[in-house]
Amino acid sequence: MNWITNYVRPKINSMLGRPDRDVPENLWIKCPETGEMVFHRDLEENKWVIPASGYHMKMPAKARLKDLFDDGVFESLQQPKVAQDPLKFRDSKKYVDRLKDSRIKTDLEDTILAGVGKVRGVKLVAVVHEFSFMGGSLGIAAGEAIIKAFERAIAEKCPLVMFPASGGARMQEGILSLMQLPRTTVAVEMLKEAGLPYIVVLTNPTTGGVTASYAMLGDIHLAEPGAEICFAGKRVIEQTIREKLPEGFQTSEYLLEHGMVDMVVKRHDIPATLARLLKILMKKPAASAPVVEKTAAVAIAAQ
């Protein structure tokens, strides 16, 4: 909000006799790279990718699942019930109030949203972090939801695809949030022991304890362009080692060049890429080529 919104617009509306309507502030989104302003509907239609620059904005978890699965059809996995505020934590604000605000903001129970459906005909379980929910942080509820998703994948005998976007462990839950790192790691091992593929699609940002656990344990690691992937942030590392880090350090492209990521894939190509990789890993036949009717010229050439 600024003086134009607070003062100029109401003044003009009162002079013209128009009602002061509430106008959403996020109708136009600014590209972090170029500064270009993009209308929000155009951005949504382009899967939250800036059309001109190709910059990948953060994509809401619900929209990502709908875009991933065929025709947007999938079964949502129920959020497990867990202790909400085991440490009775409070900083400048009560933890329970922060949870309440995030639930109103995102219409989600916690950070994790999971679903079961088909991607190009391949059945899979997808798990997505909602970064708008307390920075996609990993707490008890998120850890339990991830474990249940792995158990569902094992029961359905299908692969699991993870889309992390997180600032790391949730500090309001202290050691209980850190316990989710080994718990989710065990869930990954259970899936692998069942002989089922686990693919991770690293999105911006993937950091902290999430990177230190299930986000880097995939059979294959894909990453969206320009995503920040790290344990500690660049500034923290520079202050610790007292050296300047390379340009583009901790980005998808840098990690691909240094062998930490297998592929950097644009958001529009992720469903098709996942389906192709999973068919190979599951030893399923690739999609048959379309049948082309022979024209007279083709028939003559064949003779």
Side-chain angles (χ1 to χ4, degrees), residues 156-174:
E156 297 281 348
K157 297 181 180 178
C158 67
L160 188 142
V161 178
M162 176 73 66
F163 292 85
S166 175
R170 189 171 296 176
M171 71 172 201
Q172 289 88 349
E173 296 182 12

Side-chain angles (χ1 to χ4, degrees), residues 22-33:
D22 291 330
V23 179
E25 296 180 17
N26 59 344
L27 287 178
W28 294 87
I29 290 90
K30 186 177 181 179
C31 175
E33 277 191 349

Side-chain angles (χ1 to χ4, degrees), residues 3 10 37 81 96 98 106 129 140 143 246 267-268 270 281:
W3 69 277
M37 300 300 290
K81 300 295 182 183
V96 288
R98 291 188 185 279
T106 62
H129 278 251
I140 300 172
R267 189 171 291 163
H268 292 74
I270 285 175
L281 293 173

Side-chain angles (χ1 to χ4, degrees), residues 72 80 84 95 112 134 155 164 194 197 207 234 265 297:
Q84 294 299 302
Y95 177 41
I112 295 297
M134 298 189 70
T207 64
K234 183 176 180 180
V265 184

Side-chain angles (χ1 to χ4, degrees), residues 5-298:
T5 305
N6 294 336
Y7 179 77
V8 176
R9 183 188 291 160
K11 194 75 172 176
I12 293 173
N13 286 336
S14 64
M15 289 171 62
L16 299 176
R18 296 186 307 193
D20 187 17
R21 296 175 297 176
D22 291 330
V23 179
E25 296 180 17
N26 59 344
L27 287 178
W28 294 87
I29 290 90
K30 186 177 181 179
C31 175
E33 277 191 349
T34 64
E36 176 192 5
M37 300 300 290
V38 183
F39 190 54
H40 74 106
R41 286 184 183 172
D42 295 336
L43 189 63
E44 290 176 16
E45 289 174 1
N46 201 41
K47 302 185 181 183
W48 277 265
V49 177
I50 304 292
S53 66
Y55 184 88
H56 285 52
M57 304 288 286
K58 292 180 181 65
M59 189 175 189
K62 289 181 179 179
R64 190 178 286 278
L65 284 183
K66 191 173 181 182
D67 174 69
L68 176 68
F69 289 113
D70 297 343
D71 301 320
V73 178
F74 63 94
E75 175 195 347
S76 293
L77 300 189
Q78 191 174 1
Q79 177 70 44
K81 300 295 182 183
V82 298
Q84 294 299 302
D85 186 13
L87 303 181
K88 306 298 179 186
F89 191 93
R90 177 171 187 161
D91 43 40
S92 60
K93 194 175 184 179
K94 287 183 179 180
Y95 177 41
V96 288
D97 292 336
R98 291 188 185 279
L99 288 172
K100 190 182 298 182
D101 292 344
S102 292
R103 283 167 183 157
I104 293 170
K105 179 183 177 182
T106 62
D107 195 29
L108 294 175
E109 280 298 308
D110 209 270
T111 305
I112 295 297
L113 186 64
V116 183
K118 291 185 177 181
V119 177
R120 303 293 195 272
V122 179
K123 188 175 184 180
L124 59 84
V125 174
V127 181
V128 184
H129 278 251
E130 176 54 75
F131 191 79
S132 296
F133 196 109
M134 298 189 70
S137 51
L138 177 64
I140 300 172
E144 195 65 27
I146 290 169
I147 291 167
K148 293 296 182 185
F150 274 97
E151 290 176 349
R152 178 64 181 271
I154 294 168
E156 297 281 348
K157 297 181 180 178
C158 67
L160 188 142
V161 178
M162 176 73 66
F163 292 85
S166 175
R170 189 171 296 176
M171 71 172 201
Q172 289 88 349
E173 296 182 12
I175 189 66
L176 298 175
S177 67
L178 295 179
M179 287 178 181
Q180 308 313 309
L181 277 64
R183 293 184 75 229
T184 52
T185 300
V186 170
V188 173
E189 290 305 312
M190 288 169 57
L191 187 77
K192 292 184 178 182
E193 285 177 6
L196 299 168
Y198 173 47
I199 295 181
V200 181
V201 182
L202 300 158
T203 70
N204 185 43
T206 302
T207 64
V210 169
T211 307
S213 55
Y214 54 87
M216 297 305 290
L217 293 175
D219 298 310
I220 297 176
H221 290 93
L222 311 183
E224 292 188 335
E228 181 183 359
I229 305 162
C230 61
F231 178 70
K234 183 176 180 180
R235 185 178 61 183
V236 174
I237 297 173
E238 287 180 337
Q239 289 174 349
T240 303
I241 65 175
R242 298 182 181 181
E243 291 182 17
K244 192 71 177 174
L245 293 171
E247 190 66 30
F249 183 69
Q250 297 179 328
T251 61
S252 302
E253 292 75 14
Y254 186 91
L255 267 64
L256 174 66
E257 187 179 337
H258 290 79
M260 292 294 290
V261 167
D262 298 303
M263 299 172 67
V264 174
V265 184
K266 293 181 180 178
R267 189 171 291 163
H268 292 74
D269 301 328
I270 285 175
T273 303
L274 285 174
R276 186 168 66 251
L277 290 171
L278 288 172
K279 284 178 180 178
I280 294 171
L281 293 173
M282 298 287 286
K283 298 181 180 179
K284 291 186 176 182
S288 57
V291 179
V292 180
E293 292 184 7
K294 286 187 177 182
T295 61
V298 174

